Amino acid sequence: MSKITESILYLKGQKWIDLSHTVTPEMPYFQAFKPITENTLYTVKDDGFFAKEYALATQYGTHIDAPIHFSEGKRSLEELELKEFVLPLFVIHKEQEVIANNDYMLTVDDILAFEREYGEIPAGSFVAFSSGWSKRWSDPDSYYNLDENGQAHTPGWSVEALKFLHEKRNVKAVGHETLDTDPAIEEAKNGHLLGELYWLSTDNYQIEVMNNLAEVPSKGASIVVGVPKIKSAPGFNIRVFAIIPEGTE
């Protein structure tokens, strides 16, 4: 048995957690887009095979943002390297803080506190912000969380935290459970998603609308990202999962 085969058998013996949401027309989505639509083209009964046609925006459901999504001249989906899709996964858990403050913004101090407990985040890692927001998924109104003035209140990253992860830790990718990188209140104040603009300008990717991050330990897991190879795409819906060694707390 080869080492690769042994490694696969080992991995399949560990705990696997799906970090993606199931795609439906009813789920929350970025309001500039339209819900997914589908059309049955052929059926087994009438045609001998089953095929459908789907229409959806590239940033729909759990999705990857290629750098070109916000930065002209940066990499598109098919230009991302295969080894970027399997990375060590570190999860910064701030679920309780977000319950207390829906506008919570993850800061450099949060990262430093995380490192004091779990060690320095190594280069080439994936860092996820676990806010617990995915628990709101089945209730779109709660997920959007608009106030009486139509202002959304959702958590996100600070620009300074993202700069720290890139410039001081050389992190490969980041992810979160919300529709946007930045807290909604910061987007309203700045008139732009400055955190997302910064992160994608580094020519690294991010994953949005992640699921089940609360089930992933702070360190010790790996993330695997299933990405279609579509020429010049700024992103696409993906299947992403974590592999966690059995017994990891």
Side-chain angles (χ1 to χ4, degrees):
M1 186 180 293
S2 72
K3 289 185 177 180
I4 292 293
T5 303
E6 290 178 353
S7 297
I8 292 171
L9 289 174
Y10 169 77
L11 291 174
K12 287 190 174 182
Q14 308 312 303
K15 185 177 181 181
W16 294 41
I17 295 179
D18 193 345
L19 303 181
S20 300
H21 291 284
T22 300
V23 175
T24 71
E26 298 81 22
M27 71 184 196
Y29 59 90
F30 184 60
Q31 294 293 284
F33 301 143
K34 298 177 181 178
I36 187 174
T37 60
E38 62 180 84
N39 177 38
T40 298
L41 300 176
Y42 303 97
T43 65
V44 174
K45 179 180 178 181
D46 295 331
D47 307 292
F49 65 98
F50 183 37
K52 283 187 175 183
E53 178 181 69
Y54 293 94
L56 73 163
T58 48
Q59 274 68 28
Y60 192 78
T62 304
H63 64 270
I64 185 172
D65 285 335
I68 199 175
H69 179 46
F70 265 48
S71 295
E72 291 185 3
K74 302 299 184 181
R75 292 184 296 169
S76 56
L77 201 58
E78 88 281 7
E79 293 174 311
L80 299 176
E81 298 180 12
L82 290 176
K83 290 183 179 180
E84 295 180 67
F85 300 139
V86 181
L87 300 171
L89 174 59
F90 293 83
V91 181
I92 301 176
H93 289 278
K94 291 295 177 182
E95 295 90 350
Q96 295 306 310
E97 289 83 350
V98 171
I99 289 173
N101 176 15
N102 292 169
D103 296 316
Y104 191 87
M105 184 163 61
L106 195 147
T107 66
V108 174
D109 285 342
D110 289 327
I111 298 171
L112 293 174
F114 176 90
E115 292 189 326
R116 284 194 293 272
E117 184 170 0
Y118 299 106
E120 185 172 305
I121 297 169
S125 297
F126 188 109
V127 179
F129 170 20
S130 180
S131 61
W133 211 254
S134 62
K135 296 184 184 301
R136 297 168 175 252
W137 186 251
S138 60
D139 181 359
D141 287 341
S142 177
Y143 190 86
Y144 296 135
N145 201 31
L146 304 181
D147 64 21
E148 63 275 10
N149 298 314
Q151 172 61 53
H153 294 274
T154 57
W157 301 87
S158 70
V159 177
E160 292 75 20
L162 295 170
K163 286 184 176 180
F164 180 86
L165 290 176
H166 174 62
E167 297 172 7
K168 303 298 184 181
R169 295 295 181 262
N170 196 22
V171 163
K172 178 54 65 177
V174 298
H176 42 271
E177 297 170 83
T178 49
L179 291 168
D180 292 313
T181 312
D182 305 63
I185 201 76
E186 289 295 305
E187 178 188 2
K189 181 175 72 174
N190 298 319
H192 205 327
L193 293 165
L194 297 183
E196 185 161 354
L197 177 62
Y198 169 77
W199 186 259
L200 296 178
S201 74
T202 68
D203 212 26
N204 291 309
Y205 73 86
Q206 68 170 9
I207 295 177
E208 298 191 299
V209 196
M210 298 182 77
N211 192 21
N212 295 326
L213 283 173
E215 300 180 30
V216 182
S218 299
K219 64 179 293 187
S222 295
I223 191 168
V224 182
V225 187
V227 181
K229 192 175 183 180
I230 301 174
K231 183 175 176 59
S232 301
F236 212 75
N237 181 267
I238 58 172
R239 189 72 179 269
V240 56
F241 58 93
I243 303 176
I244 304 164
E246 284 291 351
T248 302
E249 297 276 334

